[in-house]
Structures are given as C-alpha cells and as structure tokens.
Amino acid sequence: MRLLARAIGFGLLLLAALVPVGATLLLIALAGPEGLLALGPAGWGSLAAGLLLPGCAVLLAQAWQVQRAELAALRGALLRQGEAGDSRQLALQALLAESREQTTLLQEQIRLLLGQATTGRRQAETQQALATETRLARLVAEWDLTGRELAAVMAAMWRLVFGWRTPEGPEGQPAVELPLPAGAELGLAILRLLPATPEEMARFQVDERFVRQAARYRGVFQDFLDRVPETGPLNRALFRDMVQGRLDARLALLPRPNHAVLVTPEALAAE
C-alpha cells in the first residue's frame, strides 16, 4: 500500500513537471520565440515556478519523509531505551528486594545464633553449677564418712584416757560404764585434755596406744584435706578451723617422732 502511494505521488509529480515543459514547447511551436518573449516577466516567473515547484515539492516531500523516518527511528530507539531502563529498574528492584530478604534472613540467623549462644552459655553455667554442686555433695558425703571415722578414733582415744567403767565405789557399789560425750563435745573434751604448747606437751605423759590413735587420726584427717580445694565455699581453711582441725593441730604437738605414721585399722583393732 505504501509502495502504491509512492508510485502515484511520483506520477503526479512527474505530470506536474511535464505540464510547464509541454506548455512552453506548445507556445514555441505556435508562436515561435516571439510568443515566449511576449509573456513578459510575470509569464516567465510563472513558467519558472511551474518548472521549479515540482522539484521543490519533491525535495520537501523527500525531506519530510526522511525526517519522519528519522523521528520514527529515534522514537523506536527511545522506546527501546525506555524498555531497557524499565527492565534494569525492575532488575534493580528485584535485586534490592532479594538483598532485603537476604538481610532479613541474615538478621534472623544472627538472632538465632545469639539465642543459641545464650542457651549454650546458660547450659554451660548450669552444668558448671551442677558440677560444683556435685563436687560439694561428694565432699560433704566424704566428710560425713571421715567424720564417722574420726569420731571412732576419738572414742578410742577417750576410752584410753578414761577407761570403760568407773572403779567400784565404797560399800560395794558396782562400777558403771562411763558415757562418751555426745557429738562435738567429744572432740572438745579431748581438745581440753591436751596441752596447748610444745613445752607443756613435752611434759605430758601419754600412752603409746594413744599416740598411735593420734597418728591414725591425723592420717585420716590429712587424707581428707588432700581432696579439699584451697578456695570455694568448702575449703581447707574451713575444715582446719573446725574442732577436728584444731584437734589435729593439737595432736601434732605430741612428743613422739613417729606420731604421724599411719597405722592400719587392723593393727589398731588388734590392740
């Protein structure tokens, strides 16, 4: 359709160009050169306009068509650039949205890791507290057993000093069994019995069996202290400050070179 329109336009322009030429040739053929001269300036101008206007119209049409084609190409390029810009903008928006999602995911992961770290720290603190409590419970249980053994040794020491029964009284009164001091009173009683200074202890007359029981007492107490930590709620200073610890320090003043030798329970039981 466009080619047909161009063909029709070209034909009309060619016809418009041939009309002045044909009119000039017809005038020369009829009237000769005098007829052409008789036209005058106005005729000549009209004849020149008739000859030039079709060419000018063709040039204007060609320029308009070229301009229109260039404008159409420029419009297409601008549309393509706009579409490319829109595509880039959509891609940037999608990239920004993905970056936001990744940032949100990373924040959630960081919060989860922080929560896990807090939970792990709490679990570690709980396990440490449980371990400390377990050690304290084990230490208390060991002290209970050690206290029973020390009480048995102190009872043996008490019996060695005071005996089992009272002597027979006057008028045939029977001897009665001497009671042991109860609880912590037993250790305090033995502590009050022993001298407080090395000089007094050097003059203290003591039975060999009492010395051996003292050695056993000090060995059992020292063996327990070796398992007690230096610091903490239950430390060595705490046990040394108890009656059993003060009694251990007092027994260390006994004037015997072998008082710290640990005697086996079987040898003591044989006595």
Side-chain angles (χ1 to χ4, degrees):
M1 191 69 180
R2 186 175 296 178
L3 293 176
L4 180 61
R6 289 180 179 180
I8 293 174
F10 181 75
L12 292 176
L13 288 174
L14 183 61
L15 180 62
L18 291 176
V19 168
V21 175
T24 302
L25 294 176
L26 181 61
L27 180 61
I28 292 174
L30 292 177
E34 294 79 4
L36 185 60
L37 294 173
L39 292 176
W44 294 342
S46 299
L47 185 61
L51 290 173
L52 295 175
L53 282 177
C56 292
V58 171
L59 290 177
L60 289 175
Q62 186 68 25
W64 176 76
Q65 186 176 5
V66 171
Q67 184 180 9
R68 184 177 179 182
E70 291 295 332
L71 290 175
L74 180 61
R75 182 181 179 183
L78 291 175
L79 288 175
R80 288 191 297 272
Q81 289 180 357
E83 292 177 355
D86 293 338
S87 299
R88 287 194 295 270
Q89 184 178 3
L90 293 175
L92 288 175
Q93 290 178 355
L95 182 61
L96 288 175
E98 185 178 358
S99 300
R100 292 192 188 97
E101 292 178 357
Q102 291 179 355
T103 303
T104 305
L105 181 60
L106 289 176
Q107 290 176 352
E108 292 294 333
Q109 290 179 351
I110 291 173
R111 282 195 290 269
L112 181 60
L113 290 176
L114 290 176
Q116 291 178 353
T118 303
T119 303
R121 186 169 58 253
R122 290 177 180 174
Q123 290 178 352
E125 292 175 354
T126 302
Q127 291 178 356
Q128 185 176 3
L130 289 175
T132 303
E133 185 177 356
T134 302
R135 287 195 299 269
L136 292 177
R138 184 180 60 188
L139 188 61
V140 170
E142 291 178 358
W143 174 245
D144 184 58
L145 296 175
T146 303
R148 294 179 182 178
E149 188 172 357
L150 294 178
V153 177
M154 285 188 292
M157 295 168 68
W158 175 268
R159 293 301 183 188
L160 287 172
V161 175
F162 295 98
W164 285 89
R165 304 179 67 85
T166 61
E168 295 184 358
E171 300 179 357
Q173 292 181 355
V176 295
E177 183 178 354
L178 287 174
L180 283 172
E185 293 295 329
L186 179 59
L188 290 173
I190 299 177
L191 190 62
R192 287 191 292 265
L193 175 67
L194 297 173
T197 62
E199 293 78 9
E200 296 177 355
M201 189 67 75
R203 296 191 299 268
F204 187 68
Q205 297 297 325
V206 59
D207 192 335
E208 177 70 20
R209 294 173 297 174
F210 188 89
V211 174
R212 286 198 293 268
Q213 293 291 346
R216 178 187 173 191
Y217 181 97
R218 298 198 63 226
V220 172
F221 188 75
Q222 187 61 41
D223 183 62
F224 172 77
L225 285 183
D226 292 339
R227 299 191 298 271
V228 178
E230 291 287 348
T231 59
L234 296 178
N235 51 60
R236 295 183 182 179
L238 176 66
F239 288 100
R240 286 195 182 101
D241 193 52
M242 298 174 67
V243 175
Q244 290 81 357
R246 293 198 296 270
L247 183 57
D248 175 75
R250 191 71 60 86
L251 292 174
L253 302 177
L254 286 173
R256 291 289 301 213
N258 62 343
H259 70 279
V261 177
L262 182 61
V263 182
T264 61
E266 292 78 8
L268 292 174
E271 296 178 353

